[in-house]
Amino acid sequence: SLPLVVGGGLRTGADVRAALAAGADAFVVGTALERAGAGAPALLHELGAARRAYEAATEAPVAPLPAAPALPR
């Protein structure tokens, strides 16, 4: 089965918890980190804490995605 990866619009820990509760297997952030500037480390901490809280509350680990296969040359 394919993992459901959610991205876009995830700007807070609450956004991450909502995505995981809705069935996401993983989440990605990009623009939110760029826009956070010097606050990026704090945002990463908040998002990671939300992931860990979700895992603890549901006993459902959010597994890292497997590495993508290498592209042929």
Side-chain angles (χ1 to χ4, degrees):
S1 74
L2 295 175
L4 174 61
V5 180
V6 174
L10 301 176
R11 295 178 182 86
T12 66
D15 295 335
V16 166
R17 285 189 301 276
L20 294 171
D25 296 305
F27 62 93
V28 295
V29 293
T31 305
L33 288 173
E34 289 179 25
R35 290 184 179 164
L43 179 59
L44 283 173
H45 179 75
E46 178 184 349
L47 301 178
R51 174 186 171 211
R52 289 186 297 278
Y54 175 83
E55 290 175 328
T58 62
E59 297 182 5
V62 179
L65 295 176
L71 297 175
R73 293 185 179 249

